[in-house]
Amino acid sequence: MDAMPPVAASPPAAVFAGTRHPGLAAELRPARVRVEAPEVLHPALWLGHQLGRHTDQAVSSGFAALDAQLPGGGWPRRVLSELLLPHPGIGEIRLLGASLAAIQQAGRLVMMFDPPHALSGWALSQLGLEVAQLLVVHTRCKVVAGSDSLWALEQALKSGHVGAVVAWLPPRLRAERLRRLQLAAQAHDGPAFVFREMAAQQRPTAAPLRLALRAGGADTLQLRLLKRRGPPLDTPLQIALPPVLSASAHSRAEAAVRAEPAPSALQTATFINLAA
């Protein structure tokens, strides 16, 4: 019986890499895969140490220090911006005045829902707002059993025809109700500000942006960014508000700041030794 012919061994890779077959070596060389950075792939992606971006252009707050800390460089569109207050009237309208005035000057409507006190037309005009073009809606003047006081706000967000929305939400709002507003805000081409009580910071929120406000003086506001698309900010911001208060209102604001207790530090945790 004839012996089987020996099988020719495959040439080593070094042969293909030699000078005799330079074209073949180039074909066998693995192609380099270009890996794009996540923030380049899509505007909604960002790294943990970066501030998030927005597909829509943000609305400047009018305060450079605040814009520098807000993802996108201003108040975001199509999402809720949640502002927590110890009580109304600490300067929240003055904080939003520049952005609301800019939206009005662009020919768009600004709506306010359920302000807890009468608004000062003179102060609003000093902030640059056109008072005659403001639409103020009161939905909780008369409580009707089974009615939804947030229905009008939700419809305004869904319409997509409102430039900016400012709403004072009822206390202890259920989480699913806030999620509905957040979903409705996705159709809203503009900023949507919702004011809530300070105790809400103990509960999670569907709003991508959450700030805590505290009066630092009659014309000063302290801001803490509790939630944003980006790294946490430990240092509060000091914002100098436009000085549009009358003399009497300025005195009342100063007295209120002096009487306000300092913010409490984190509560000490209690540990129980179950093994004892």
Side-chain angles (χ1 to χ4, degrees):
M1 178 179 292
D2 297 337
M4 295 293 291
V7 177
S10 300
V15 173
F16 296 105
T19 56
R20 291 189 300 172
H21 306 285
L24 182 60
E27 293 178 1
L28 294 178
R29 189 180 299 123
R32 291 183 179 180
V33 178
R34 184 180 179 183
V35 179
E36 297 284 356
E39 64 273 23
V40 179
L41 296 177
H42 195 276
L45 298 177
W46 74 93
L47 298 178
H49 64 280
Q50 300 171 333
L51 281 178
R53 297 169 297 164
H54 299 289
T55 55
D56 298 313
Q57 185 178 5
V59 178
S60 173
S61 68
F63 303 96
L66 178 57
D67 286 347
Q69 299 300 333
L70 292 176
W75 298 115
R77 301 171 186 262
R78 302 184 187 278
V79 297
L80 295 181
S81 295
E82 192 180 62
L83 309 177
L84 307 183
L85 309 173
H87 56 79
I90 63 171
E92 62 270 25
I93 294 298
R94 285 189 284 169
L95 175 67
L96 306 182
S99 57
L100 298 180
I103 290 171
Q104 274 194 334
Q105 292 165 8
R108 307 201 63 197
L109 176 65
V110 174
M111 294 185 69
M112 294 186 174
F113 289 85
D114 298 303
H117 304 293
L119 298 172
S120 169
W122 180 85
L124 291 174
S125 63
Q126 294 299 306
L127 294 173
L129 287 163
E130 194 171 350
V131 180
Q133 299 300 321
L134 274 178
L135 182 56
V136 182
V137 182
H138 293 277
T139 65
R140 295 194 285 271
C141 296
K142 181 179 180 181
V143 178
V144 179
S147 64
D148 185 1
S149 63
L150 299 178
W151 181 87
L153 170 60
E154 185 176 349
Q155 299 309 310
L157 292 172
K158 285 181 177 179
S159 71
H161 298 295
V162 182
V165 166
V166 183
W168 286 260
L169 299 184
R172 300 179 296 280
L173 188 69
R174 299 196 308 271
E176 60 270 22
R177 200 66 186 88
L178 192 68
R179 280 196 295 271
R180 282 187 57 174
L181 295 177
Q182 168 60 25
L183 288 174
Q186 295 178 5
H188 172 63
D189 184 19
F193 305 102
V194 291
F195 296 123
R196 302 186 66 191
E197 74 276 14
M198 191 62 76
Q201 67 177 318
Q202 304 298 332
R203 302 185 293 274
T205 178
L209 180 63
R210 171 183 268 184
L211 287 78
L213 281 59
R214 182 174 180 269
D219 297 322
T220 306
L221 202 58
Q222 295 181 356
L223 307 180
R224 287 187 297 133
L225 275 78
L226 304 179
K227 180 182 179 183
R228 64 174 174 173
R229 289 171 174 166
L233 181 67
D234 298 329
T235 306
L237 297 176
Q238 295 275 353
I239 300 295
L241 299 174
V244 299
L245 296 180
S246 63
S248 59
H250 190 278
S251 300
R252 290 196 300 271
E254 288 286 3
V257 171
R258 288 193 296 269
E260 187 174 344
S264 58
L266 291 175
Q267 296 181 353
T268 305
T270 301
F271 296 91
I272 301 175
N273 187 1
L274 299 178

